[in-house]
Amino acid sequence: MTRLTYRDATAADLGFIVSLIVEDSVVPTNDEPDRPDHPRYLAALEAIERDPNQRIVIADYEGQPVGTVQLTFIPGINRLGEWRCLVEAVHIVPTHRNLGLGGEMIGWAIEQAKARGCGLVQLTSNKKRVDAHRFYERLGFKKSHEGFKLSLS
Amino acid sequence: MTRLTYRDATAADLGFIVSLIVEDSVVPTNDEPDRPDHPRYLAALEAIERDPNQRIVIADYEGQPVGTVQLTFIPGINRLGEWRCLVEAVHIVPTHRNLGLGGEMIGWAIEQAKARGCGLVQLTSNKKRVDAHRFYERLGFKKSHEGFKLSLS
């Protein structure tokens, strides 16, 4: 069953994306959901748009945006030059959680990875998001790695 | 103290890179270290070379290659359009381990991330690599996330 449709995000979607990121964050952010036209948001979106190995998409449900996901396609030498797909910024609006839409969205991301010839899909999830970990394991992901972050700001 | 020098890898380095990846792997690989000119390795290297957000470098020590690291620079919307740097394929040759060269190489990667305006450096490390986890924590990384992988092959 496919209930979601997907389209590349535009500047008009930045308000939706930033609000959703802030609402769904488990760590403090310096985001400004009231300023979706902030030059730094616009510059980031333009950087994504001009990089053929980047996509940020909006998932629509009955004509309304309900989710986001960002994909990065990464060439690598190992495993005979295998490409991998990094999944970031996975969010569903509060009103539409627990309906299976997140699973549908990740399933779509996996299909995009296959279409690009990737041999691996990878993502990290904050250790606080225990429900998300079960979600990814149900989808077939293996919790095989530790995810390390170093903040430079 | 700076003992390593860095240069972007070329096709002539593929034999070194693939041999090192295979030697240092904790999981089975289908790599072919005797065929560094395999079209799939060459295609992967070309994909890295033509993407301005990708680098794979060789670290040289006294004129000899001793390490590799791959960097991916990723624009994102969150945290006011923050860029992040994903570090992959971190390897040092067996003869030169435990000399602090890995720390020097990651320090260099962090400097590249800063030079590109990144606010975050991130990487995943197989849960079996316990020594590597202590290494990254000593360098200031926080083991804040679970790393999920889904093999498509």
Side-chain angles (χ1 to χ4, degrees), chain A residues 11-32:
Chain A
D13 298 303
L14 284 170
F16 170 75
I17 295 171
V18 178
S19 298
L20 184 50
I21 287 170
V22 170
E23 186 278 329
D24 199 24
S25 183
V26 295
V27 295
T29 85
N30 60 346
D31 279 299
E32 300 195 20

Side-chain angles (χ1 to χ4, degrees), chain B residues 19-38:
Chain B
S19 297
L20 184 49
I21 287 170
V22 170
E23 185 279 329
D24 200 22
S25 183
V26 295
V27 294
T29 84
N30 60 346
D31 280 300
E32 299 195 17
D34 297 334
R35 291 193 61 198
D37 60 345
H38 192 296

Side-chain angles (χ1 to χ4, degrees), chain B residues 4 12 18 24 29 34 51 59 61 75-76 78 94 101-102 111 115 129 131 133 135 139-140 144 147:
Chain B
L4 298 174
V18 178
D24 200 22
T29 84
D34 297 334
D51 184 340
Y61 178 77
N78 69 322
L101 297 177
E111 290 309 310
R129 296 188 190 270
D131 289 350
H133 304 167
F135 164 77
L139 293 170
S144 56

Side-chain angles (χ1 to χ4, degrees), chain B:
Chain B
M1 184 170 57
T2 301
R3 296 166 291 174
L4 298 174
T5 56
Y6 304 89
R7 57 187 171 78
D8 289 287
T10 69
D13 298 304
L14 283 170
F16 170 75
I17 295 170
V18 178
S19 297
L20 184 49
I21 287 170
V22 170
E23 185 279 329
D24 200 22
S25 183
V26 295
V27 294
T29 84
N30 60 346
D31 280 300
E32 299 195 17
D34 297 334
R35 291 193 61 198
D37 60 345
H38 192 296
R40 291 185 56 172
Y41 289 132
L42 293 168
L45 182 63
E46 284 163 16
I48 292 169
E49 288 172 336
R50 74 171 164 259
D51 184 340
N53 289 328
Q54 292 286 343
R55 286 187 79 179
I56 184 163
V57 303
I58 303 293
D60 287 320
Y61 178 77
E62 296 180 343
Q64 294 294 320
V66 297
T68 72
V69 60
Q70 181 175 354
L71 307 180
T72 304
F73 301 102
I74 303 172
I77 303 299
N78 69 322
R79 282 183 266 197
L80 271 181
E82 180 179 88
W83 283 68
R84 59 184 66 196
C85 176
L86 173 68
V87 177
E88 296 269 3
V90 177
H91 300 287
I92 296 283
V93 294
T95 53
H96 287 71
R97 287 178 194 155
N98 304 310
L99 300 174
L101 297 177
E104 193 179 302
M105 191 168 73
I106 296 299
W108 177 85
I110 293 167
E111 290 309 310
Q112 305 309 302
K114 288 179 181 170
R116 287 282 303 251
C118 295
L120 190 73
V121 180
Q122 67 183 35
L123 59 89
T124 64
S125 179
N126 193 295
K127 286 185 189 261
K128 297 174 182 172
R129 296 188 190 270
V130 179
D131 289 350
H133 304 167
R134 283 192 287 264
F135 164 77
Y136 290 118
E137 288 182 313
R138 279 199 304 275
L139 293 170
F141 285 82
K142 304 295 181 196
K143 201 167 61 177
S144 56
H145 285 61
E146 296 288 350
F148 290 88
K149 311 276 175 178
L150 175 69
S151 176
L152 302 180
S153 53

